[in-house]
Amino acid sequence: MAFVAKGRFFAGVATALLVMAGAAQAAPQCGNNSAGFPAWVEQFKQEAKSQGIGGRGLGALNNLTYSTKTIALDRNQKSFKYSLDKFMQVRGAQTIVSRGKALKTQNAALFASIEKRYGVPAGPIIAIWGMETGFGAVLGSQHTLSAVATLAYDCRRSDYFREQLYAALKLVDHGDLAPDARGALHGEIGQTQFMPANVLKYGVDGDGSGHIDMVRSKADALASTANFLVGHGWQRGAGYQPGEPSFGAIQGWNSATVYQQAIAIIGAQIDGK
């Protein structure tokens, strides 16, 4: 009996290894140009189905195209090479401060409720809002799922963007992202440009609609931004300039030093500090 049991054990292990090897062989292969993208999408559909993506998400994969604009941008991000002064000029810092102060006044109740709940004052949230989309005016025109899928297929950062693609498909399944949604060239979503996985992790239904609508609801987008900062170490009542306790949370928003500094400077000016 022991021999039979051991034989069955090794047979089971061998079968499992064969299944794993087959799965590895079937895994979608990355590429560096558009040639292999359609085949990659077809393979990814099977993988997504096996990982529990529902009908809405799977259906959304039928309308993907390879985004050459996304790849071009990903290869050539010049603005983060600027000095701080040049970056502030290019981003229109003074305009953001001026409009931001007016929007803080116009939406005083919303920002008060966000600060009460999360401990994040209006300034840095408005700075992010203004820098990312001009306060919701410029959300981008790229097909979101195509942008994320293109980068998931591309070999440079495929693992990171495969995670983002799965997150985007889950948002489609939840009814929180339209299959034909359009946004920025890396797949950023909504008024403060969240990556899909961050919508899943930090997204907040700020207006009580039952959905997290980062595009049409400023309450959702701004509350989610505050929640993101809290999730990255924001300390209630603490300063957020470089060297102060809450600056680390701003660093979590964007890896570029000039971007981090710009948020802190613009935010302080909006807050009157």
Side-chain angles (χ1 to χ4, degrees):
M1 291 294 293
F3 177 79
V4 173
K6 188 180 291 185
R8 287 175 179 169
F9 170 79
F10 284 120
V13 170
T15 300
L17 290 173
L18 287 171
V19 169
M20 291 172 63
Q25 291 175 355
Q29 299 297 306
C30 69
N32 293 310
N33 56 54
S34 62
F37 184 68
W40 181 91
V41 172
E42 291 305 313
Q43 287 183 295
F44 185 82
K45 286 180 186 177
Q46 299 306 313
E47 180 182 297
K49 185 176 182 180
S50 71
Q51 294 298 314
I53 297 300
R56 287 182 180 178
L58 293 173
L61 292 172
N62 292 327
N63 298 310
L64 301 183
T65 57
Y66 184 83
S67 175
T68 55
K69 289 184 178 180
T70 290
I71 292 298
L73 177 67
D74 195 55
R75 303 277 193 272
N76 189 31
Q77 300 187 58
K78 292 182 178 178
S79 65
F80 296 137
K81 299 176 184 178
Y82 292 147
S83 67
L84 176 59
D85 287 344
K86 179 65 173 179
F87 183 80
M88 295 279 280
Q89 178 186 352
V90 169
R91 287 297 180 120
Q94 289 307 309
T95 299
I96 293 172
V97 171
S98 177
R99 288 198 60 203
K101 288 180 177 179
L103 287 166
K104 179 180 177 180
T105 299
Q106 293 167 16
N107 297 276
L110 172 61
F111 286 113
S113 68
I114 289 173
E115 184 167 8
K116 181 178 180 180
R117 180 173 180 181
Y118 298 102
V120 183
I125 300 172
I126 294 173
I128 290 169
W129 190 22
M131 289 178 65
E132 293 288 355
T133 66
F135 309 108
V138 184
L139 301 182
S141 59
Q142 174 61 39
H143 187 268
T144 296
L145 289 177
S146 290
V148 178
T150 296
L151 292 167
Y153 159 72
D154 187 67
C155 291
R156 293 179 72 211
R157 290 178 287 166
S158 56
D159 288 345
Y160 172 79
F161 280 100
R162 279 161 67 87
E163 176 190 353
Q164 300 301 328
L165 183 54
Y166 270 117
L169 296 175
K170 290 176 182 177
L171 291 173
V172 172
D173 277 342
H174 297 165
D176 292 333
L177 181 68
D180 59 351
R182 293 189 173 271
L185 284 165
H186 279 87
E188 300 95 329
I189 298 168
Q191 297 192 34
T192 53
Q193 300 285 273
F194 268 47
M195 293 303 295
N198 283 332
V199 179
L200 282 182
K201 188 171 184 179
Y202 300 108
V204 173
D205 177 14
D207 59 13
S209 69
H211 285 283
I212 301 168
D213 188 345
M214 302 292 286
V215 174
R216 289 170 296 219
S217 173
K218 65 184 175 185
D220 290 5
L222 300 177
S224 297
T225 302
N227 193 39
F228 177 98
L229 292 173
V230 170
H232 286 77
W234 189 276
Q235 297 183 36
R236 184 182 292 268
Y240 56 84
Q241 296 305 299
E244 295 181 328
S246 287
F247 185 70
I250 293 175
Q251 290 177 303
W253 183 265
N254 192 292
S255 61
T257 301
V258 290
Y259 206 110
Q260 299 161 3
Q261 292 172 329
I263 292 172
I265 293 168
I266 293 170
Q269 291 180 11
I270 291 171
D271 279 338
K273 294 183 178 180

